[in-house]
Amino acid sequence: MDGDLGRFLRSRRARIRPEDAGLPAHGRRRVSGLRREEVALLAGVSVDYYIRLEQQRVRNVSDEVLDAVARVLRMDGTERAHLRRLLRPPDDRQAPSAGIRPGVRMLLDAADSVPAFVLGPRMDVLAWNALSDRINGFSAMPAGERNMARQTFLTPRARSFYRDWAAVAAETIAHLRLYAGRHPDDPLLGPLVAGLSADPGFARLWEEHRVAEKTFGVKLLRHPELGDLDFAYETLALPGDPDLLVVMYTADPASPTGRTLDRLRQAHRADLDKPDVRVMTAG
């Protein structure tokens, strides 16, 4: 997306106080965080050069300069990689994945002891197993709404379904921002962001330009039928297809959530074991 480099750098400047960077904070400041000239001073480049960097008017920026700017702005590994992609888009950018392999669907069904689903480009939910459907209700959603960002911001039930909705919202946007940096030319991304921006909370968080990989964490749910569920989750990237992520929910078997999962597993397996009864009519 045009201008994302400058907005990203400005958002990183805004979160750092001068005194945290070892600079005096005397006088009235017109901007929050570090000024451009302060970043330039600490990174060892000229003010004009840094301004042109924010405006994306500099070519062939050295690794040393990028590392210095990233250090001054206290970027973590994910943010540093995002900065490099914004400044140096790869020549061999691939189109987002269009679907999932049949083998991945088989793996989901085989992993029937934990809720599991596959996230694809733009956080679309592409496949799920029976336990995940029982928890999240994916099969009941219209196909065009099976997207975790849409569910988080545009579905009224989300704020009660996620007991930690604010954390889920921030995590969702950070992952979607990371995807935008990897696929700035995705024609479906702009309409998705435009639709999500109808929610003021999304619009505000989107402009913070936070980026983060989806790795592991907790999900605290309040299911309308099953009650409170406390899950840990792990995210697995599929080799050869980094746009596809397998998300698995886990719980201590001795916990209330673990016992609920066990009941759901037993009910599902009982359904599978039922004989296939067909009514035969005389012909």
Side-chain angles (χ1 to χ4, degrees):
M1 296 184 173
D2 292 341
D4 272 358
L5 174 64
R7 287 190 285 267
F8 177 63
L9 288 172
R10 289 193 293 274
S11 71
R12 300 307 86 184
R13 283 197 286 117
R15 67 180 180 175
I16 301 176
R17 299 182 303 172
E19 53 267 35
D20 292 337
L23 298 172
H26 303 307
R28 186 174 181 179
R29 302 178 67 88
R30 296 173 58 189
V31 297
S32 60
L34 294 178
R35 300 185 178 107
R36 288 171 170 172
E37 56 267 28
E38 291 169 334
V39 176
L41 172 67
L42 294 171
V45 298
S46 71
V47 176
D48 177 68
Y49 186 90
Y50 181 76
I51 291 174
R52 288 189 288 118
L53 176 64
E54 276 201 3
Q55 295 173 344
Q56 210 162 347
R57 293 191 295 114
V58 179
R59 294 184 178 181
N60 302 320
V61 180
S62 69
D63 289 339
E64 291 76 14
V65 169
L66 279 182
D67 288 342
V69 170
R71 172 182 51 79
V72 170
L73 298 181
R74 301 189 178 187
M75 296 184 187
D76 61 23
T78 301
E79 291 170 330
R80 287 172 182 251
H82 184 67
L83 172 63
R84 290 176 183 273
R85 278 192 298 270
L86 292 177
L87 192 60
R88 303 170 179 171
D91 295 330
D92 58 345
R93 280 185 286 188
Q94 298 179 347
S97 302
I100 64 173
R101 302 184 295 273
V104 176
R105 294 181 184 273
M106 294 176 66
L107 285 174
L108 285 181
D109 291 336
D112 64 350
S113 62
V114 296
F117 59 95
V118 176
L119 277 184
R122 301 168 299 277
M123 303 194 78
D124 288 338
V125 180
L126 301 182
W128 54 88
N129 65 8
L131 279 183
S132 183
D133 195 26
R134 184 68 178 86
I135 299 298
N136 294 289
F138 293 131
S139 63
M141 300 176 188
E145 296 180 10
R146 290 184 191 130
N147 176 280
M148 295 306 285
R150 288 186 185 277
Q151 289 300 310
T152 301
F153 288 96
L154 302 183
T155 304
R157 77 162 190 143
R159 285 168 172 77
S160 59
F161 183 68
Y162 295 114
R163 285 150 50 207
D164 55 346
W165 182 86
V168 171
E171 175 189 283
T172 298
I173 288 183
H175 180 71
L176 196 60
R177 263 290 179 198
L178 192 66
Y179 174 84
R182 290 171 175 166
H183 297 286
D185 300 325
D186 182 346
L188 299 180
L189 181 62
L192 173 63
V193 171
L196 292 169
S197 295
D199 182 287
F202 175 89
R204 176 179 55 81
L205 290 171
W206 183 252
E207 287 308 312
E208 291 182 3
H209 286 260
R210 296 180 183 176
V211 292
E213 296 277 6
K214 186 172 179 63
T215 52
F216 62 91
V218 297
K219 277 289 189 297
L220 305 177
L221 309 181
R222 178 158 291 138
H223 195 279
E225 298 172 3
L226 303 174
D228 286 358
L229 301 171
D230 295 6
F231 289 112
Y233 73 84
E234 297 287 341
T235 305
L236 310 175
L238 292 175
D241 212 338
D243 287 332
L244 299 185
L245 303 175
V246 179
V247 183
M248 293 185 168
Y249 288 178
T250 62
D252 182 342
S255 69
T257 300
R259 291 193 291 271
T260 297
L261 274 184
D262 187 55
R263 290 194 298 272
L264 294 177
R265 279 193 294 267
Q266 293 182 33
H268 174 61
R269 289 168 182 170
D271 286 341
L272 293 178
D273 290 339
K274 289 179 181 177
D276 186 7
V277 179
R278 291 180 172 83
V279 177
M280 303 298 292
T281 58

